[in-house]
Amino acid sequence: MSQQEQPRRPQEPVKYGDVFEVSGELADKTIAPEDANMMQAAETRVFGHTQKGGSAAVMQSAATANRRGGFVHQGDATDVAAEHGVTVAQTDVPGARVTTEFVGGQVVGQYVEPRPVATTAAIDAETLGLGLQSAITIGEALEAAVQTAGNKPVDQSDAAAIQAAEVRASGTNVIAPGGIAASAQSAANHNATVDRDEDKIKLVDVLAGATGKLQADKAVTRQDAEGIVSAELRNNPNLTTHPGGVAASVTAAARLNEKADI
């Protein structure tokens, strides 16, 4: 085989920040074979198999490329993955089960599995002649974001999405003083002046108990989700939404409400 026919060796390793929306130390880490193996094992424990096109598959492809390029060796693991773990967690929200994948505490993948909206409680309520609201509300969708991205530092894209959510929940353009939109904007302003992520205000600090903090609430619709996604995208320098974040959670809720014909 001539030199021109030789496969080209990668010039740079594939890092987490190249394939996942992560930040800080993890973004600069080269994806290693043992990281991928840990994610494959975690997915298999939860799903019974690895997800096609999921985080484990992406990590395995990246690790293989890095090994062929000589950047890592078989059995290598990044210190972040080894010290802080590679995990897959499941959270039940109204009408769905959300599975979130983490490397070093940061979200690298998320899957939403719809579940039947009808529950024993709903059947009992109908038997007793009681009304039971089974649609997922904006407030509940925001609370679901706490389960999947609660440790994410609040930035301007989060604040914009939360403001859009509050406006759509209330049906007015008035931002309530001391409400979640105002708190999110204050958190984003504060975080912009802070260097270390551990010192920043997180989504959980703003969105915990969101339903009770909203002056009004309503079932999430596709139009609500589109407006909230648009707000998050416009205020993100990379023009992306955060996996498991505000826009993602509201979009999942709207999709479930549509499937349930609510």
Side-chain angles (χ1 to χ4, degrees):
M1 180 181 291
S2 69
Q3 177 129 6
Q4 288 185 337
E5 294 173 323
Q6 293 281 345
R8 289 188 177 182
R9 179 180 177 134
Q11 298 300 306
E12 296 288 339
V14 182
K15 301 178 180 179
Y16 278 96
D18 297 328
V19 293
F20 298 118
E21 189 177 344
V22 295
S23 60
E25 183 183 6
L26 180 62
D28 294 327
K29 293 293 182 181
T30 298
I31 299 177
E34 197 57 30
D35 298 10
N37 291 339
M38 287 190 283
M39 182 59 80
Q40 286 182 329
E43 283 191 359
T44 300
R45 282 195 300 271
V46 172
F47 298 110
H49 56 82
T50 56
Q51 293 291 94
K52 184 177 181 180
S55 300
V58 172
M59 291 170 65
Q60 188 62 60
S61 296
T64 298
N66 288 337
R67 186 165 52 81
R68 288 174 177 170
F71 302 111
V72 295
H73 300 91
Q74 192 65 34
D76 284 355
T78 63
D79 52 356
V80 173
E83 293 172 12
H84 301 288
V86 173
T87 57
V88 177
Q90 291 188 317
T91 303
D92 289 331
V93 299
R97 171 166 291 170
V98 180
T99 303
T100 309
E101 299 179 326
F102 302 88
V103 174
Q106 294 197 51
V107 176
V108 295
Q110 186 179 71
Y111 314 93
V112 179
E113 176 190 0
R115 294 186 301 151
V117 175
T119 63
T120 301
I123 295 170
D124 290 344
E126 183 176 357
T127 302
L128 296 171
L130 300 175
L132 182 64
Q133 174 59 272
S134 54
I136 305 171
T137 68
I138 290 176
E140 289 171 335
L142 293 177
E143 290 179 3
V146 172
Q147 301 298 320
T148 54
N151 289 325
K152 179 186 183 299
V154 180
D155 59 23
Q156 288 297 337
S157 67
D158 300 316
I162 292 168
Q163 178 177 326
E166 184 178 276
V167 165
R168 287 181 171 274
S170 66
T172 71
N173 290 322
V174 178
I175 304 302
I180 58 172
S183 297
Q185 187 59 60
S186 295
N189 293 341
H190 167 80
N191 289 347
T193 67
V194 177
D195 292 328
R196 301 197 314 167
D197 281 356
E198 52 265 42
D199 295 330
K200 294 181 179 181
I201 301 171
K202 310 297 195 299
L203 279 176
V204 64
D205 302 318
V206 175
L207 295 180
T211 301
K213 296 176 182 178
L214 291 171
Q215 292 187 334
D217 203 359
K218 65 183 285 289
V220 183
T221 66
R222 179 188 296 182
Q223 291 72 29
D224 295 327
E226 289 173 351
I228 292 165
V229 167
S230 177
E232 187 168 317
L233 285 172
R234 286 197 311 270
N235 289 273
N236 186 311
N238 298 319
L239 295 177
T240 59
T241 59
H242 184 77
V246 175
S249 293
V250 174
T251 299
R255 187 180 304 120
L256 291 167
N257 284 349
E258 281 196 343
K259 287 186 177 180
D261 195 25
I262 296 171

